[in-house]
Amino acid sequence: MKTLKLIFLSSLGRKYVMAISGALLFLFVIGHMLGNLQIFLGKDFLNAYAHFLKATPELLWPARIGLLVLAILHIVTAVQLAIENRRARPLAYDGTKIYAASFAAQAILFSGLVVLAFIVYHLLHFTFGKIQPEALTYTVMYKGEPIHDVYKMMVMGFSNPWISAIYLICMGLLCLHLSHGVSSLFQSLGWKTNAYRNAIDKFAKISALIIFLGNCAIPVAILLGLVK
Amino acid sequence: MSETTMNLTLRVWRQKNAQSAGTFVEYEAKNISVDMSFLEMLDVVNEELTARGEDPIAFDHDCREGICGMCSLTINGKAHGPLEATTTCQLHMRSFKNGDAITVEPWRAKPFPVIKDLVTDRSAFDRIIQVGGFVSVSTGGAPDGNALPIPKTDADAAMDAAQCIGCGACVAACKNASAMLFVAAKVGHLGLLPQGQTERDRRVLHMVAQMDEEGFGNCTNIGSCSAVCPKEIGQDFISRLNRDFLKASLRAK
């Protein structure tokens, strides 16, 4: 009980909440990207994968609920900490300069809020079908039964250059967010010692870049007509 | 031959007391020797102000040799001025050019309220030390010199942390006014030594609780604190503090 109180109420404890929820969300982003990259393996691969997820509620729903809990913990804690940070300096300096801080570090709250807005948009688009309602109606035959044609949904969705532009910009901000966040989580948990400091910083930047390139490859390939 | 004196325009934060609102006031600093320290330059300006019957600029200072932690001042937006690993008292006017305009502000953080002009009340740091920044020892005969072996690497690391003079530049520079580097230095310094082990968990829990209580911001791992620290205390100690607090939280009863 005391441990939970220390973790959820202290300044350092809430950084652990940020770090652990952030780390799990980071792993989800990698998994999500790998799943979607199956679009390059062909229509059947992607549709079979999507059908497997949909047809396995014992996997789908715990993952959905878990992600929602993680996202709420990450966002609520971030906003709480940010409000406290503003309160800690009621009167700003004349001409604010922040020393030694990377752009990604300074923009972490902004990039996070944009990514949040993007997640809402992304869910409305491909999960709830509010952006392109016809997207959820495409079907394809799979093992003798009609299943949702996710491949066609993605191709149609990203053929719209405006929608693709939104995705590309948001992936840029996600990349920026992760390039600081992934290295920061090691520091917050106390695992970033001088011996690993540079390696962890590089790992964060490289993994953020891989996620950016991997996710952007899909709309770019569709816009260029490489995936039809 | 290089110039030996300079004229400067100062923009100094003047604030009568903690209750009143402050404002910037401009002063001309004339015939300032390049060999003066920044504080000596302020002394010269204050001599003139006093001679004119005006209230001199209040600022904190004590040893003037860079080891007491009393001097502060945010100079042109940077805690302790433009040089690295240098306190304001060790900053010399040769670091500036003739004709420069220099803005001088107090540390700005809610837990460091302004007492007057550039003087802030940093007793929040004292209260953090009082709840755990010590090692309790029984009095008695002095122990033998080498009775307690300490590996050289540990002793060196503890010394790195022990260099903290508690000036508060870390708080002043942090965009969140976080006191993490200060607390990390104190917790790290004692936690690295065998004498500090008995109270290690209690120390970190109490000091972090007091830090939060004082209203400092939260660390976002951006590293401004280490960049301005006159004693160059590194980010490694913050990582160590996070690690210590995590272990102590898990063991807390």
Side-chain angles (χ1 to χ4, degrees):
Chain A
M1 200 53 215
K2 184 116 188 263
T3 300
L4 283 180
K5 224 169 147 184
L6 283 166
I7 288 180
F8 285 96
L9 296 180
S10 71
S11 58
L12 271 67
R14 284 176 298 161
K15 295 300 303 212
Y16 305 147
V17 174
M18 290 303 292
I20 293 167
S21 58
L24 294 171
L25 289 167
F26 169 66
L27 292 178
F28 165 74
V29 167
I30 292 176
H32 188 54
M33 176 185 77
L34 293 175
N36 288 341
L37 283 175
Q38 293 178 70
I39 195 169
F40 293 110
L41 297 177
K43 198 175 169 110
D44 299 338
F45 263 98
L46 187 71
N47 283 334
Y49 167 69
H51 179 67
F52 162 73
L53 291 183
K54 276 275 170 72
T56 322
E58 60 272 29
L59 198 75
L60 184 69
W61 280 100
R64 281 181 167 171
I65 292 166
L67 284 169
L68 186 68
V69 170
L70 288 174
I72 289 172
L73 274 177
H74 198 73
I75 294 159
V76 169
T77 312
V79 170
Q80 249 183 19
L81 292 169
I83 290 171
E84 288 175 15
N85 293 346
R86 297 274 150 90
R87 284 199 188 131
R89 177 163 297 136
L91 193 61
Y93 286 106
D94 179 64
T96 305
K97 285 179 209 152
I98 302 172
Y99 280 87
S102 67
F103 177 68
Q106 292 183 47
I108 194 87
L109 186 65
F110 169 76
S111 58
L113 291 173
V114 174
V115 169
L116 169 63
F118 168 72
I119 292 171
V120 173
Y121 177 83
H122 185 49
L123 289 175
L124 286 175
H125 187 194
F126 284 142
T127 306
F128 297 108
K130 300 288 178 197
I131 311 285
Q132 291 170 313
E134 71 281 8
L136 297 187
T137 61
Y138 306 136
T139 51
V140 66
M141 292 308 282
Y142 175 72
K143 288 184 185 164
E145 52 171 330
I147 61 164
H148 182 206
D149 192 348
V150 170
Y151 185 90
K152 189 173 174 192
M153 173 178 82
M154 280 169 75
V155 172
M156 294 309 287
F158 291 126
S159 298
N160 180 330
W162 294 108
I163 289 180
S164 281
I166 291 173
Y167 274 79
L168 294 179
I169 291 167
C170 292
M171 282 307 109
L173 283 153
L174 176 66
C175 171
L176 191 70
H177 194 77
L178 293 177
S179 71
H180 174 67
V182 171
S183 76
S184 184
L185 78 89
F186 287 94
Q187 174 83 355
S188 291
L189 290 170
W191 299 341
K192 195 170 170 181
T193 60
N194 278 345
Y196 295 107
R197 186 160 298 274
N198 290 338
I200 288 171
D201 287 343
K202 270 191 199 126
F203 167 74
K205 290 201 177 96
I206 291 170
S207 57
L209 190 66
I210 290 173
I211 286 170
F212 174 74
L213 294 175
N215 282 330
C216 289
I218 299 168
V220 168
I222 290 170
L223 283 178
L224 293 177
L226 300 173
V227 173
K228 290 186 266 234
Chain B
M1 202 180 114
S2 61
E3 287 176 284
T4 53
T5 63
M6 56 170 75
N7 296 323
L8 304 157
T9 308
L10 303 181
R11 244 176 104 241
V12 183
W13 184 260
R14 301 302 308 263
Q15 184 172 338
K16 208 169 164 218
N17 53 43
Q19 287 74 39
S20 58
T23 179
F24 283 103
V25 179
E26 273 197 18
Y27 298 98
E28 297 298 323
K30 293 216 167 72
N31 296 318
I32 299 299
S33 161
V34 293
D35 297 327
M36 281 181 184
S37 75
F38 198 86
L39 299 184
E40 286 165 340
M41 181 274 293
L42 287 177
D43 289 337
V44 170
V45 173
N46 275 345
E47 288 279 343
E48 258 179 57
L49 287 177
T50 311
R52 291 209 303 258
E54 286 177 42
D55 196 18
I57 301 161
F59 60 90
D60 260 330
H61 61 104
D62 192 12
C63 76
R64 298 207 180 197
E65 45 189 32
I67 54 168
C68 77
M70 268 316 274
C71 64
S72 51
L73 306 188
T74 301
I75 301 165
N76 285 340
K78 191 174 178 200
H80 286 305
L83 296 190
E84 280 177 19
T86 306
T87 54
T88 298
C89 66
Q90 293 299 301
L91 171 68
H92 289 80
M93 297 315 291
R94 52 184 165 268
S95 298
F96 298 90
K97 291 195 307 288
N98 187 28
D100 272 359
I102 305 173
T103 301
V104 190
E105 294 172 86
W107 287 170
R108 295 205 192 275
K110 190 155 161 267
F112 290 166
V114 171
I115 297 171
K116 185 177 190 325
D117 299 337
L118 304 170
V119 179
T120 54
D121 179 358
R122 286 171 276 178
S123 42
F125 271 11
D126 298 338
R127 290 189 290 273
I128 293 173
I129 294 294
Q130 281 157 11
V131 298
F134 49 79
V135 169
S136 304
V137 285
S138 309
T139 53
D144 282 347
N146 287 320
L148 202 57
I150 301 172
K152 173 86 167 91
T153 47
D154 289 1
D156 286 350
M159 262 314 289
D160 286 346
Q163 284 200 75
C164 171
I165 52 177
C167 64
C170 43
V171 174
C174 176
K175 76 180 179 71
N176 310 321
S178 163
M180 281 289 273
L181 192 65
F182 168 74
V183 176
K186 298 304 173 190
V187 165
H189 156 213
L190 299 173
L192 276 158
L193 298 172
Q195 294 93 330
Q197 298 313 307
T198 317
E199 292 159 303
R200 190 164 168 181
D201 281 4
R202 195 172 63 191
R203 175 182 309 114
V204 69
L205 293 177
H206 285 189
M207 289 179 82
V208 168
Q210 189 63 35
M211 172 180 87
D212 291 352
E213 171 89 24
E214 298 289 347
F216 290 103
N218 305 293
C219 181
T220 44
N221 305 327
I222 61 173
S224 299
C225 49
S226 294
V228 301
C229 176
K231 301 300 163 187
E232 298 186 298
I233 292 166
Q235 293 290 293
D236 200 34
F237 286 105
I238 292 187
S239 183
R240 199 187 151 81
L241 171 65
N242 285 324
R243 196 157 67 238
D244 267 18
F245 187 82
L246 182 56
K247 283 188 206 153
S249 298
L250 296 175
R251 284 194 287 250
K253 288 190 220 41

